[in-house]
Amino acid sequence: MTVQPADGLSLAAEFPDPAHEQWQSLVEGVLRKSGKDVSGSAAEEALSTTVEDGLITRPLYTSRDDAPDAGLPGFAPFTRGSTPQGSAAGGWGVRQRHASTDPVRLNEAVLGDLENGATSLWLAVGGAGGVPVSALARALDGVHLDLAPLVLDAGDELDAAATELFRLHQDRGVPADAVRGNLGADPLGQAARSGDEADLTSAARWAKHCAAGYPGLRALTVDALPYHEAGGSAAQELGSSLATGVAYLRALTDAGLGVDEACAQLEFRYAATADQFLTIAKLRAARRLWARVAEVCGAPEAGAQRQHAVTSPVMMTRRDPWVNMLRTTLACLGAGVGGADAVTVLPFDHALGLPDAFARRIARNTSTILLEESHLARVIDPAGGSWYVERLTDELADAAWAFFQEIERAGGQAAALGSGMVADRIAATWAARSKDLARRKEPITGVSEFPQLAERTVEREPVPPAATGGGGLPVVRRDEAFEALRARSDAHLAATGARPRVFLAALGPASAHTARASFAANLFQAGGIEPVHEPVRVDASSAAAALAAAGTDVVCLCSSDALYAEQADEVAEALVAAGAQHVYLAGRPGAYQGVDEYVFAGCDVVAVLSSVLDRMGVA
């Protein structure tokens, strides 16, 4: 039997429209229960979070959170996409990156990728980590260059690599109008990484060559990854990319190209992180900002930014690398929803060395699942109209424009890099973020939270180090402080056959000590320190025997505040008398006898673990 709805039935008719003040009142009640007596807008602010660039994310967004008109997809300011149909035109391009010096192995990998979902290639050419220019033909043997767009990353060997690529096109009879891809010239990006002075002459010459006879081929990449990999915020990444793009426009127009021709020679590369909403907003803001640059330059119709998103290398971890699959899935989703034209999902073992075939397949299939199974590309600008995303896009665009203007006042991107202004600003951002990482305010699953000391080590062939001038921007990773601690523990294990240990002295029943014992075990394992929780509970009379059996002289008391008040002094003194050299207590600092230090949510975990390893004599 089919039930037809009554004419004019409104399923929400019996529910009155709630007022914003009503929601605030409910929030006030919840906060009072947690000891915060605030009201009105202050109650809402208590639930807000300040993130990078001074941006504030609030708990509720409504139509009152207005933002500038985002326009329509394919039309200025291109916030909603560079083409009218957005990613619904067939989805984003699946661009696989390859960095190998062996042309035979590279050829096998390239052909396998193209046969199994990749739609374009990103190749490292020349230098210590790329395929030799002379072997490029062998590496691309069997690749249909008129079907598979090719993006080069040739660095100082741009001229040789571009010359060889054009020779291949000619030898294989590829029509000029069928050539797609990017020569990858990025002199300012190279300068940012190496500290050397940028020379835009060669890039401008190749841009003129492409503009004259290869309508589908671009010459320059505005790569924002060096700023992201140095620890820059989203606004600093965007602002640096704008300043770089403007510098390239100046160089290309000085070389004789029109503004619209110069814009057509640029492709922008951004990092996509596991913060999917920030990634979505970043790509939308980037298009809007570049449209403004093109408008000011007198070519508003040329302001549709071509975007290549790469899943963030900064977020990739060396420990528990399987979790990287989840991070890159979120990042890929954010890039796709944000409107990227091409997406490179870095393999989960990227931080460990050269990826294997399995890792590359998982990376390719991440995009394939989102496109083919989740149908993510069937909707134009899926995030459009979300009050949160629209407001975040606007606020991020404002912060990025302010940084861009600061760079321009410093004389442009080249001058700002040379003076150290960009490096100093990014370093300050990373220092602040490092504090959040050390305190686990920004947790890293599998590293700072829920680490596994017994995990199987994943080994890969190392990537040859990139040759740099030594004065460029650093390369940072979120896991680096904890990785250093784990490396010390690994070395100790190799030298002695055992990891450094801490004895968890749990007081009272499991219902009283389990929460803090789990917290302490998680904390110490993040530094490679093995927790010993046997026996399950101790008291003053059994503490000495338990400590002797644990094989360590470092102890952490774990229990509830109530039981600490009753037993902590007595048990701590018994442990010290039995030979404990340092006694921690899991909980907020108090005045307990025999306790040397406290570990609690928000403490500097890296500092605590470093001091523990030092005290244990772990080199």
Side-chain angles (χ1 to χ4, degrees), residues 318-461:
R318 286 156 279 197
R319 306 287 172 164
D320 206 355
W322 321 104
V323 182
N324 291 329
M325 296 184 197
L326 308 179
R327 296 185 179 101
T328 54
T329 299
L330 286 170
C332 183
L333 182 146
V337 172
D341 299 288
V343 177
T344 295
V345 175
L346 296 178
F348 71 88
D349 53 1
H350 173 80
L352 297 170
L354 293 175
D356 64 6
F358 170 73
R360 292 199 315 275
R361 178 166 66 88
I362 294 297
R364 288 194 310 271
N365 285 347
T366 301
S367 280
T368 302
I369 287 174
L370 292 173
L371 289 168
E372 304 296 336
E373 296 189 26
S374 299
H375 310 298
L376 194 62
R378 292 192 179 186
V379 179
I380 300 173
D381 186 27
S386 161
W387 291 311
Y388 171 44
V389 172
E390 298 290 6
R391 186 60 178 261
L392 183 60
T393 299
D394 182 49
E395 292 175 348
L396 182 56
D398 288 343
W401 190 261
F403 188 60
F404 163 62
Q405 290 180 313
E406 186 177 350
I407 293 174
E408 288 295 289
R409 285 194 295 270
Q413 185 69 357
L417 286 171
S419 68
M421 186 275 278
V422 171
D424 290 345
R425 290 290 304 277
I426 290 178
T429 297
W430 179 245
R433 189 177 180 189
S434 295
K435 292 180 179 179
D436 288 343
L437 289 164
R439 289 174 168 78
R440 300 193 295 183
K441 185 177 180 182
E442 182 182 338
I444 310 172
T445 303
V447 177
S448 66
E449 296 280 6
F450 311 111
Q452 298 185 63
L453 294 187
E455 70 173 288
R456 180 171 62 88
T457 302
V458 178
E459 296 183 357
R460 293 290 184 266
E461 181 182 342

Side-chain angles (χ1 to χ4, degrees), residues 453 500-509 513-526 529-539 542-559 564 571-572 575 580 582-587 599 608-609 612 616:
L453 294 187
R501 291 181 170 187
V502 59
F503 173 50
L504 303 185
L507 313 181
H513 71 240
T514 295
R516 279 176 169 157
S518 299
F519 166 82
N522 194 28
L523 183 148
F524 286 106
Q525 287 182 95
I529 301 169
E530 180 184 351
V532 178
H533 192 187
E534 179 65 35
V536 173
R537 57 186 291 185
V538 299
D539 54 26
S542 62
L547 179 64
T552 181
D553 57 10
V554 177
V555 182
C556 183
L557 300 180
C558 305
S559 194
Y564 284 153
V571 174
L575 289 166
H582 204 81
V583 178
Y584 292 90
L585 183 144
V599 290
V608 168
L609 295 175
V612 174
M616 291 179 171

